[in-house]
Structures are given as C-alpha cells and as structure tokens.
Amino acid sequence: MRISPSGFREYDARWRYPEDLDLEGMQAVGLGLGTQMARRGRGRKIIVGHDHRSYSPAVRDALCKGLVQAGAHVCDIGMSLSPMAYFAQFHMDVDAVAMVTASHNPNGWTGIKVGFDRPCTHGVDEMAELRDIVLSRAFDLQDGGSITPMPGVQAAYLADLAQGGVISRPLRVVCATGNGTAGAFAPDLLRRLGVDVIERHCGLDHSFPHYNPNPEALEMLDDMGAAVRDSAADFGIGLDGDGDRIGIVDQNGRAVFADKLGVLIARDLAVRHPGAKFLADVKSTGVFAIDPVLASHGATVEYCKTGHSHVKQRLRESGALAAFEKSGHIYFGPPVGRGYDCALRAAVAVCRLMDHQPSANLSDLVDGLPPSWCSPTLSPACPDDQKYAVVDRLTDILRGMQLHGDTIAGQPIVDILTANGARVQFGNGDWALVRASSNTPNLVVVCESFESQAQLHALFAGFDEILRQEPAIGAYDQGIGLSQRS
C-alpha cells in the first residue's frame, strides 16, 4: 500500500498518482472514511462522484471498495462536479459525500473532497482524524455494504441552477473550461438561460492540452480574454477542473478578479436583501470594507480564513447570505443557495447581474467600484513540511517591524490580521498577505494598493524582500503581471 501522509491537507486530500498514492492506498482511504462515518453516527449512505481524469474511475472504484468493506452504502452519481456532488446530498437526502478530484491541480494528481455535515466539508480536525485512522489501519469492517448507480442527478442539478427562467437581455458569453469536467455541463446550463455561448476548450480531454483548468491563473485568463475579443462577446466565464471556482473577463478581455466580482454580486444581492451579511476571505480586496453601495444597503462584511471548508462552516455559523474567495470559490447561503461553493451557480449570478443592468457593460460595473490595483494570487514554492513554520517566522518578523516603526514601500504597518497567515495593513489602506497554501507545496502572496499601479509594484517588491529572508522560499509560479485597476 502506498499512501503519503502529506496528502491529507487542511480541508481535503490530494496526492500525485500513483507516486504518492496507489489504488490499495485509496482503498484504505475508503475503509478509513467508512469507519469514520460509522463512528460519528452519520448513517451508512454516502454520495460518491468523480471527475473525468483518465484514472479517476479506477481511483473511484478503489475508494468505493474500501467504503463497502466498512459497510457503507455508496450512491454512485458517476462523472460529476464537486458542487454537483454537494447538491446530491440535498437532492437525495444523504448526509455524507466523497468527491474524487484533484480540482485544478495538474494531470497526475488525484484526491478527495469529503464531508458528513452538509453543506460543510471536512476541516482540519476531521481530516486529521481520517488520516490517523487510515495510517494506523484502525478500520472497523462491517458486512452489508453496497454500490448503487444513481442516474438523474446531473439533470436535476442543471434544472435546479436554471430556476428563474431565461434572462431578458441578449448576452454572448465565452465559456472556457480548460478541457476540464465542467465542459460537460456549463455550456448547457448557460444555453438554458438563453445565453449565446461561445465554447472555449470545453471538450473533455484529461491531458489538458492547452492549460490546466485554473481560472485564477493568468494563462487561462489571457486565453479567455483573446477569445472574448475575437468573438465580440459580452464577457467570458472560466471554470476550474471540478466546477467549484470561477474566473471572469470583461468585454475588453480584461480579467475581473473573483474578489472584485464578489463585490459586484454582493451589491446586486444587497439591493434585494437589505442588511445582509457577507464573508470575504483574507486574500480578498479591501473594497468590501469601504464600498459605499454595500454600506448604503446596510450590508456588513467579515474577513475570514481562506479555504472552502472554513468558509462553508463560517457561512453557516454567521448566517451570511454569500461568501467570496479571491481564488474564485463563491458560496450562496439560504435563501439564495444551500451554503456550498458552486461556480455554475456563480455563473448564473453573473448573467442575472448583467440582466439587472441592461444598459451597462461589465467593465462599466467594475470601473464603478472604488479604485484599487491588485496582484494576482502568487504562489512561491515552499516545501509542505516547512511552509507553516516559514509563515510563523515571517509573521514574527513583520510584528517586529510594526513594533519598531519600520516601513514597507514607504508605509508604516498599522495592523496584522493573523486569522490565516499574516495580512499586513498599511497606513494608506494598502495591504499584503502571506499564508501557507493548504493544497500544494507553496506559499500564497497577494498585494493590493489603493494609490497606484506603481505603488502596488513597490509594495510587492518591499514585501518580497522580507519574504526572501527565508531560504526555503523558491520561485513564484507567475509574475505580478498587469495589475487590475477597478
């Protein structure tokens, strides 16, 4: 059995396959998951889905074999998106879910997203418990397990998303999926809304011949932008490999980062739900906190820890109407949604937002936000077994700088939010974040300036100079690029 302990992460599990996890290892994960489910008294039924990677059916079969050995009744929904599996929990009234996917990770990765408490998924404690059961082989074998195919979930999921009927405004939209699983579902959904769809790399191809389906990466956003300009589309929608993250470009092909998109969606919701509360993760724009439109409708915004499990839990606890992550996870709580992240529901929200603004282009709405200049999410390499300690040491350095009145890019540090890494707030409203990635051997770095693009670059350079004191930090995955003004 091959199974790397480092694959069990903060809120899901991911391994290189078969180097770090083989099929016997995934069978053990299924046994551990079924054991954990029984011990927690969550019943015996569990929804299982998988993405379209070439090896995902085999990985799914191994997971299900282990679940059955633990006495679980597997409800197999077949090839699906992560939010489709979450939807199935409600549609079929089943508490537990296990989705076989590595999301937007490159080909050669696999993993699972799991949960027993809809709409929430496993967090740090639950993942640690599952890891310990699996690695110690402390399994509880039970008879009576089964696997039952469940047709019809895909159709029910799309019908649920299309409720509300077609939009009245004619829209031409580029739909880009990077040859990921979302290509099997997203174009159909948009056409049900009455949208003229221009498909971009929507054919399923597990080799990802153009780029990894990651709508946070500039490579995918730039390709979407070119497709929008070439087709004279109103905007472009990009979806990640398992359909839970969204990326947008406007009619000029300019990227609209997901946190700024979140402000627009929050504005649209706030009109219909005065006094609503919203969540934004610590990587997200400071515009949420200063937006006059949200304030005029009595909306409040709380910055919370990054990560889909953390956000779903906080959304339920707080009663927030919606939550937004810079990575493109967007969540809608009751009465708009069920509290989980779904990029297709977010795509519908963007189309209806534009329908509510029949005379405006998307760029008009973005340019109407308080102006700021943002970096993309940058991911310098850092080993999994060192990244959290590195961030702790950097936080101590930054606290020392604050105490001694030191500046970065000419600005004093006025506050450091440590809910998730270190979000450093400067005297002019600018901020910079460093945190450990929960999914890959990387750190996460984001900067935003409310002054100018030049100040953004100065801020990044000064912040990076602090980070370079740590020799374990390697190269960035992409450059700071053309920052976004909005």
Side-chain angles (χ1 to χ4, degrees), residues 155-342:
Y157 170 68
L158 293 176
D160 181 73
L161 291 171
Q163 286 186 52
V166 301
I167 60 176
S168 57
R169 175 180 177 174
L171 286 177
R172 170 176 285 188
V173 174
V174 168
C175 179
T177 63
N179 303 108
T181 314
F185 309 103
D188 181 17
L189 172 63
L190 293 173
R191 291 188 176 104
R192 293 186 188 203
L193 300 180
V195 173
D196 179 11
V197 178
I198 308 298
E199 295 190 18
R200 182 69 170 173
H201 308 318
C202 288
L204 300 188
D205 187 337
H206 55 75
S207 70
F208 303 143
H210 303 286
Y211 43 71
N212 288 331
N214 179 5
E216 194 176 15
L218 295 179
E219 182 181 22
M220 185 171 184
L221 292 168
D222 289 346
D223 182 73
M224 290 164 55
V228 166
R229 290 188 295 269
D230 290 345
S231 61
D234 292 289
F235 54 91
I237 294 173
L239 303 169
D240 79 333
D242 66 330
D244 60 10
R245 293 194 301 118
I246 191 171
I248 297 288
V249 297
D250 68 15
Q251 79 281 0
N252 299 313
R254 181 181 65 169
V256 181
F257 293 150
D259 52 348
K260 298 292 182 71
L261 176 68
V263 178
L264 296 179
I265 293 174
R267 281 182 168 188
D268 192 53
L269 290 172
V271 173
R272 293 156 183 77
H273 302 273
K277 179 172 183 174
F278 299 99
L279 304 180
D281 81 315
V282 294
K283 294 193 299 179
S284 291
T285 177
V287 172
F288 277 107
I290 65 170
D291 184 55
V293 175
L294 290 178
S296 71
H297 293 289
T300 57
V301 179
E302 173 190 325
Y303 286 91
C304 65
K305 190 172 183 179
T306 293
H308 64 88
S309 288
H310 302 301
V311 178
K312 278 182 279 219
Q313 185 68 40
R314 184 59 191 150
L315 183 75
R316 184 170 66 177
E317 293 171 350
S318 67
L321 183 63
F324 310 95
E325 290 192 76
K326 187 179 176 67
S327 62
H329 290 275
I330 295 180
Y331 313 72
F332 297 97
V336 181
R338 297 179 178 86
Y340 52 79
D341 41 339
C342 179

